[in-house]
């Protein structure tokens, strides 16, 4: 017992020590040779004990390694003898391990994994495998590097695009530059589109193709200017393409640009809902063709499953672009004070209170406005101006005459001219006053700004020639003061747009030709031309004679306004004016065409006989 107690590191309870001392020799040899020694050797030989944690785990596993038939005291004694002598049996050789790792790495052949352009590395909700993580790491998606050079280059490119857009508006779209609300609308559309692209597009392969960028193009084209819409489409295509692809690839910019241009070119007239549906269809077709051709150029062979996806996203893009444009263009037009085609169509309806009032109280002016609208609309179509706006502006350009209708010759049928008993200055003041009255009526009835602008601009600062000449003659006879031309001019301003310039010319031409036709002066020109043709033995084409007279009157009327500087502030070209004159002559020829003088039908036996 004393010897057992003196063994270093071995602690035996009294019961375990008594068990060992009372064991027969045969059982003791079995316990030592068949239990303790084999268990110790198995642990030290088979197990890798490289740390104290491994040794502790081996000690904890001792009860499970001992034979089940062994008595509890025998097990306790075996554990007491084995446990203290268990120790680490392996040591990590850092040098050898490092060398072997290098040797193993040098013997491994490299594995190249190719990621196709547009391939989805990791889909939403799918678990990320080590290979997926490595792909994203190589693509720079997990830790994108932002260098000073990339920041400077991106900022410079964006700044250059914005500068070009700024200069274009200032130089070639002054009407937009002068209207701060339109500038604000363009800025908001650009910023909102870029913000949406920045939030939703990066990191996706198909979602960028769903972005309805063509809606912005069509909104600017419909509400502001088609030429400006083309430039904005180009700028947004580049910016959004860079954001979505994070590369210099031109696939997305070309895709966006094709869809936007298609929307601009197809949505020319928005007088019907079908125009939006047609535009959406063409956008879908053009966008699909662009995406398909770009994909074919990149891969060389058509990937039909991908083609089906492109067809779906292009269809969605076209439908979304058309729907967004249809749903928002009227609202945006109202918010930003922009006249929309829908508003103009409503104003063109004869049931409008202001038009009905003009028809009832100033029927001559109403008829004059209808004829002017036909002339102006045709001329606007000839030069590519806004024909609908021009026509509607013509309907309302003289609404101020309803305040004093009988002071205007249009409405003096069957009565004497009230100006015969008035001084020229008073008459000129009343005539000019119809412009101010028209503006006040337009404001009262909430006419759109572009229609309202046509009321003062269609006369510009022209001289009220009839009463000025009358005042000059009175002054020469000593019956009145000297006539100052500035006292006999309309308040202005001069026409600022093509549409208002066309309206000015149509108004003057119609009034002059009608006046000459009513006074017989047009027939005198026709007769003179007829006599000259007959004396020269020329074929007498009756339809050509009035055209010569009308062309002469139209040319003279337009020339007077050009010489007076009335067209100096609009952007009509010499070619535009020639086409406008051609349109006026063609229309007026149809109105004032020659007619046959029908003879009276003679009475015979109480019957009327119609000559064959």
């Amino acid at each position: 017992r004393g010897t057992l107690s003196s063994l270093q590191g071995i602690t035996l309870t009294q019961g375990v020590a008594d068990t060992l001392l009372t064991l027969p020799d045969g059982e003791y040899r079995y316990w030592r040779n068949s239990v303790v020694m084999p268990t110790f050797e198995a642990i030290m030989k088979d197990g890798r004990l490289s740390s104290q944690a491994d040794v502790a785990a081996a000690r904890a596993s001792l009860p499970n390694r001992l034979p089940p038939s062994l008595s509890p005291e025998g097990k306790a004694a075996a554990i007491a003898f084995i446990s203290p002598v268990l120790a680490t049996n392996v040591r990590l050789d850092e040098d050898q391990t490092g060398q072997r790792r290098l040797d193993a790495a040098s013997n491994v052949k490299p594995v190249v994994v190719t990621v196709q352009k547009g391939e989805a590395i990791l889909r939403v909700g799918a678990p990320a495998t080590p290979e997926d993580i490595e792909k994203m790491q190589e693509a720079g998606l997990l830790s994108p590097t932002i260098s000073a050079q990339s920041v400077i280059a991106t900022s410079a490119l964006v700044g250059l695009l914005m500068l070009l857009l700024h200069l274009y508006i200032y130089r070639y779209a002054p009407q937009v530059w002068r209207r701060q609300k339109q500038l604000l609308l363009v800025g908001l559309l650009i910023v909102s589109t870029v913000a949406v692209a920045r939030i939703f597009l990066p990191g996706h392969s198909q979602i960028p193709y769903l972005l309805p960028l063509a809606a912005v193009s069509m909104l600017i084209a419909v509400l502001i200017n088609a030429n400006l819409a083309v430039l904005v489409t180009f700028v947004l295509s580049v910016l959004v393409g860079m954001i979505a692809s994070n590369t210099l690839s031109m696939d997305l910019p070309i895709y966006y640009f094709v869809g936007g241009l298609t929307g601009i070119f197809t949505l020319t007239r928005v007088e019907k809902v079908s125009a939006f549906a047609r535009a959406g269809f063409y956008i879908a077709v053009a966008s699909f063709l662009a995406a398909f051709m770009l994909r074919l150029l990149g891969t060389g062979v058509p990937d039909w499953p991908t083609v089906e996806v492109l067809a779906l996203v292009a269809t969605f893009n076209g439908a979304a672009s058309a729907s967004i444009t249809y749903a928002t263009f009227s609202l945006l037009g109202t918010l930003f004070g922009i006249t929309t085609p829908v508003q103009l169509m409503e104003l063109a309806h004869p049931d409008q209170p202001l038009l009905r009032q003009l028809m009832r109280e100033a029927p001559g002016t109403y008829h004059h406005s209808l004829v002017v609208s036909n002339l102006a609309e045709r001329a606007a179509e000839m030069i590519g101006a806004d024909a609908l706006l021009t026509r509607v502006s013509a309907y309302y350009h003289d609404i101020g005459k309803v305040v004093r209708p009988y002071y205007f010759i249009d409405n003096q049928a069957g009565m004497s001219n009230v100006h015969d008993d008035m001084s020229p200055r008073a008459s000129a003041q009343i005539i000019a006053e119809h412009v101010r009255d028209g503006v006040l009526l337009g404001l009262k009835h909430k006419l759109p700004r572009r229609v309202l602008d046509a009321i003062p601009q269609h006369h510009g600062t022209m001289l009220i020639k009839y009463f000025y000449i009358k005042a000059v003659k009175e002054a020469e006879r000593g019956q009145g003061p000297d006539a100052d031309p500035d006292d006999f001019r309309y308040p202005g301003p001069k026409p600022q747009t093509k549409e208002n310039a066309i309206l000015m010319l149509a108004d003057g031409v119609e009034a002059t030709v009608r006046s000459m036709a009513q006074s017989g002066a047009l027939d005198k020109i026709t007769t003179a031309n007829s006599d000259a043709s007959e004396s020269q033995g020329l074929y007498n084409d009756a339809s050509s004679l009035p055209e010569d007279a009308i062309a002469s009157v139209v040319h003279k009327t337009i020339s007077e306004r050009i010489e007076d500087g009335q067209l100096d502030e609009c952007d009509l070209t010499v070619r535009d004016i020639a086409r406008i004159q051609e349109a006026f002559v063609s229309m007026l020829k149809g109105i004032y065409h020659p007619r046959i003088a029908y003879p009276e039908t003679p009475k015979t036996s109480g019957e009327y006989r119609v000559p064959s």
Side-chain angles (χ1 to χ4, degrees):
R1 186 182 301 275
T3 303
L4 289 175
S5 300
S6 64
L7 292 175
Q8 188 176 0
I10 297 176
T11 303
L12 299 174
T13 63
Q14 185 66 37
V16 173
D18 291 342
T19 299
L20 289 176
L21 291 174
T22 59
L23 281 175
D25 291 341
E27 292 183 12
Y28 173 75
R29 284 193 297 270
Y30 169 78
W31 175 83
R32 183 188 66 184
N33 298 331
S34 300
V35 175
V36 176
M37 294 304 295
T39 302
F40 171 74
E41 291 175 356
I43 292 175
M44 294 300 291
K45 181 179 180 182
D46 299 334
R48 287 179 174 269
L49 307 180
S50 60
S51 63
Q52 291 301 321
D54 294 339
V55 173
R59 287 172 180 167
S61 68
L62 280 174
N64 297 326
R65 290 177 174 268
L66 298 174
S69 60
L70 198 63
S71 64
E73 290 79 5
K75 287 183 179 181
I79 293 173
F81 274 90
I82 297 172
S83 182
V85 295
L86 290 177
T88 56
N89 59 3
V90 294
R91 179 179 61 83
L92 178 64
D93 189 335
E94 298 287 350
D95 296 336
Q96 285 291 332
T97 301
Q99 184 60 42
R100 291 187 180 183
R101 285 176 177 171
L102 292 176
D103 294 341
S106 63
N107 292 328
V108 175
K109 294 182 180 180
V111 178
V112 178
V113 178
T114 302
V115 180
Q116 296 293 334
K117 184 177 181 181
E119 176 185 342
I121 297 176
L122 183 64
R123 300 189 181 278
V124 178
T129 64
E131 184 180 357
D132 295 335
I133 295 174
E134 184 177 358
K135 289 180 180 179
M136 291 188 289
Q137 186 73 37
E138 291 297 326
L141 299 176
L142 296 182
S143 56
T145 57
I146 301 176
S147 62
Q149 292 86 345
S150 64
V151 172
I152 294 173
T154 303
S155 301
L157 179 59
V158 174
L160 178 61
L161 291 174
M162 292 298 103
L163 177 62
L164 292 175
L165 181 60
H166 172 93
L167 292 177
Y168 175 85
I169 296 175
Y170 179 78
R171 178 65 179 85
Y172 297 104
Q175 70 279 7
V176 179
W177 183 262
R178 290 192 295 266
R179 294 178 175 138
Q180 298 300 315
K181 286 186 176 181
Q182 293 189 7
L183 281 177
L184 178 61
L185 175 59
V186 173
L188 287 177
L189 289 175
I190 293 175
V191 171
S192 59
T193 304
V194 172
V196 169
R198 185 67 185 87
I199 294 171
F200 295 104
L201 301 190
H204 299 280
S205 60
Q206 301 297 342
I207 290 181
Y209 290 90
L210 298 174
L211 182 69
L213 190 143
V216 178
S217 305
M218 291 189 289
L219 283 172
I220 295 178
V222 171
L223 295 175
I224 301 177
N225 182 278
N227 294 333
L228 176 60
V230 172
L231 183 57
V232 171
T233 301
F234 171 76
V235 171
L236 281 178
S237 298
V238 174
L239 294 179
V240 176
M242 290 175 57
I243 292 172
S245 61
N246 199 26
T247 63
L248 297 179
S249 172
M250 294 302 295
D251 287 7
L252 280 174
I254 293 175
Y255 173 82
Y256 291 137
F257 193 59
V258 169
L261 287 187
T262 304
I264 294 171
F265 296 153
T266 54
L267 196 65
T268 54
R269 298 175 70 92
V270 292
E271 299 174 5
K272 298 180 180 179
V273 177
S274 59
F276 294 94
R278 184 176 62 252
F281 171 76
Y282 285 120
I283 290 172
V285 173
S287 298
F288 168 72
L289 290 176
F292 176 71
M293 294 303 172
L294 290 169
R295 186 60 59 92
L296 196 60
L297 287 174
T299 61
V301 292
D303 180 10
W304 296 115
T306 304
V307 170
E308 294 176 0
V309 173
L310 290 177
L312 290 176
V313 296
T315 302
F316 175 85
N317 192 305
S321 298
S323 300
I324 292 173
T325 305
Y326 175 71
T328 59
F329 87 101
S330 293
L331 175 63
L332 291 176
T334 302
L335 291 177
F336 290 90
I338 299 173
T339 306
T340 65
V342 173
Q343 290 177 289
L344 294 176
M345 291 297 294
E346 292 176 354
L347 290 174
H349 199 280
D351 284 342
Q352 285 292 325
L354 208 50
L355 291 182
R356 292 185 64 83
Q357 182 182 359
L358 184 66
M359 181 176 59
R360 290 194 307 267
E361 300 179 13
T365 299
Y366 178 76
H367 180 266
H368 160 74
S369 298
L370 294 181
V371 178
V372 170
S373 70
N374 292 329
L375 292 174
E377 182 181 33
R378 177 58 181 158
E381 290 175 348
M382 291 284 288
I383 68 169
D386 192 332
L388 178 59
L389 173 63
T390 308
R391 173 160 61 93
V392 175
S393 298
Y395 288 158
Y396 292 87
H397 78 284
D398 270 344
I399 56 173
K401 292 182 180 180
V402 300
V403 178
R404 303 179 184 89
Y406 299 112
Y407 281 87
F408 300 90
I409 193 69
D410 302 342
N411 308 303
Q412 291 179 354
M415 60 179 293
S416 60
N417 192 340
V418 296
H419 292 284
D420 292 342
D421 301 324
M422 297 175 61
S423 68
R425 278 180 174 77
S427 296
Q429 183 177 0
I430 290 176
I431 295 298
E433 197 67 27
H434 89 274
V435 171
R436 300 184 182 90
D437 293 337
V439 172
L440 294 176
L441 275 173
L443 291 172
K444 179 181 177 181
H445 288 265
K446 298 180 180 180
L447 292 182
R449 170 54 57 183
R450 296 181 72 183
V451 177
L452 202 62
D453 289 343
I455 297 175
Q457 291 181 25
H458 85 276
H459 279 306
T461 58
M462 286 175 52
L463 185 68
I464 307 176
K465 186 182 293 187
Y466 179 86
F467 294 108
Y468 172 69
I469 294 175
K470 184 178 179 181
V472 169
K473 291 180 179 179
E474 288 184 356
E476 290 175 351
R477 294 195 301 266
Q479 298 176 351
D482 293 338
D484 185 355
D486 292 338
D487 295 337
F488 292 85
R489 288 190 177 275
Y490 286 99
K494 296 177 181 179
Q496 305 294 308
T497 64
K498 287 183 178 182
E499 290 78 13
N500 290 342
I502 292 172
L503 180 58
M504 166 185 275
L505 299 178
D507 179 65
V509 164
E510 195 282 330
T512 303
V513 172
R514 174 167 46 85
S515 175
M516 294 183 68
Q518 291 174 350
S519 65
L522 197 63
D523 293 335
K524 293 179 182 178
I525 298 176
T526 301
T527 303
N529 289 341
S530 176
D531 294 342
S533 299
E534 290 177 357
S535 65
Q536 297 175 13
L538 300 178
Y539 177 74
N540 186 12
D541 184 359
S543 64
S544 66
L545 298 177
E547 180 181 2
D548 296 337
I550 290 173
S552 176
V553 174
V554 169
H555 178 74
K556 180 180 178 182
T557 304
I558 293 177
S559 297
E560 287 177 352
R561 281 149 181 77
I562 295 175
E563 293 170 1
D564 196 29
Q566 296 301 317
L567 305 183
D568 291 351
E569 298 179 13
C570 67
D571 53 352
L572 283 180
T573 65
V574 175
R575 187 177 183 180
D576 290 339
I577 293 174
R579 289 181 173 178
I580 291 171
Q581 180 172 323
E582 178 184 348
F584 287 167
V585 171
S586 175
M587 293 290 291
L588 290 170
K589 178 184 175 182
I591 298 174
Y592 297 102
H593 60 276
R595 292 176 173 83
I596 299 174
Y598 289 96
E600 293 184 3
T601 303
K603 277 186 179 182
T604 309
S605 304
E607 296 179 355
Y608 292 100
R609 191 177 288 178
V610 179
S612 57

